[in-house]
Amino acid sequence: MISWLLAPLSYGFMQRGLLAAVMVGILCAIIGCYVVLRSMAFLGDALAHAILPGIAIAYLLNGNLMVGALIAAIAVAVGIGFFSRQGTIKEDTAIGILFTAALALGVALISSIRTYAVDLSHILFGNLLGVGVADLILTGGLGLLVLLVVILLYKQFLVISFDPVLAATLRLPTNLLRNLMLILLAVTIVVSLQTVGVGLVAAMLVTPAATPTCWCDGCR
């Protein structure tokens, strides 16, 4: 029975897929804690869909789709932080405006590509068994970068997540930390595209982090 279960792992594409799934699972679970604590579940879903114009433009220019997605995600994340930093526009309003605008632009660009259903479907639904060595290197490198930033700024992120008023009292750069968190979330979403796709990345961010709240009163 054990040999039957382990037999698929003798193939290289299965090994790469399993390794990518483990890396994405760890990264999404860690960043997802901040997403849940800061009530940014909608933001995760919005960023996941807002990358479509970047993917479409990269495809039209024969560029790297992941690079296009990363640029679009960071641009939308920074835009949300910029429009909501003064308090005149609430964060959820800024998310809604930029999310719908980016999504509409992405759909318009993708619809102009005649073969988009074949070429870009893996972005929407993921292609775990199609993970290559280059994808693993990109996923591992960006994932380690995100985790390193979280480790270095753990205390600061902890304060702004649980008590923003205390963070302001301690004179922490709250706007900078908030924008940095948005960028880390954007990078995490792009890293997860190849494995789970746009459709499931929001669930990967929210579900693992929200599960402990069912048993731990201190996490609520």
Side-chain angles (χ1 to χ4, degrees), residues 144-165:
L144 286 176
L145 178 62
V146 172
L147 294 179
L148 180 61
V149 174
V150 171
I151 292 173
L152 292 177
L153 299 176
Y154 173 75
K155 293 182 179 179
Q156 290 86 342
F157 285 152
L158 191 67
V159 174
I160 65 171
S161 297
F162 280 98
D163 196 341
V165 177

Side-chain angles (χ1 to χ4, degrees), residues 52-78:
L52 289 179
I55 294 173
I57 292 174
Y59 181 85
L60 291 172
L61 297 177
N62 294 321
N64 189 296
L65 300 185
M66 298 295 286
V67 174
L70 181 61
I71 294 175
I74 292 178
V76 173
V78 173

Side-chain angles (χ1 to χ4, degrees), residues 24-42 44 146-147 150 161 181 184-185 188-189 192 201-213 219:
V24 168
I26 294 174
L27 184 61
C28 286
I30 293 175
I31 297 299
C33 292
Y34 296 104
V35 171
V36 172
L37 287 174
R38 296 177 60 81
S39 301
M40 296 192 304
F42 176 55
V146 172
L147 294 179
V150 171
S161 297
M181 178 59 65
L184 293 180
L185 177 58
T188 300
I189 290 172
S192 307
V201 67
M204 290 286 292
L205 285 169
V206 176
T207 305
T211 300
T213 61
C219 297

Side-chain angles (χ1 to χ4, degrees), residues 9-10 14 16 30 43-45 49-50 64 75 78 91 93 95 120 125 127 156 158 179 183 197 203 212-214:
L9 295 179
S10 61
M14 289 293 294
R16 293 190 297 270
I30 293 175
L43 175 59
D45 183 61
H49 289 80
N64 189 296
V78 173
E91 187 174 62
T93 304
I95 292 171
L120 300 181
F125 307 108
N127 186 13
Q156 290 86 342
L158 191 67
N179 290 333
I183 293 175
T213 61
C214 299

Side-chain angles (χ1 to χ4, degrees), residues 38 153 156-157 159-160 164 166-181:
R38 296 177 60 81
L153 299 176
Q156 290 86 342
F157 285 152
V159 174
I160 65 171
L166 177 60
T169 303
L170 296 175
R171 295 185 178 180
L172 294 177
T174 54
N175 286 331
L176 178 61
L177 292 171
R178 180 167 158 273
N179 290 333
L180 182 58
M181 178 59 65

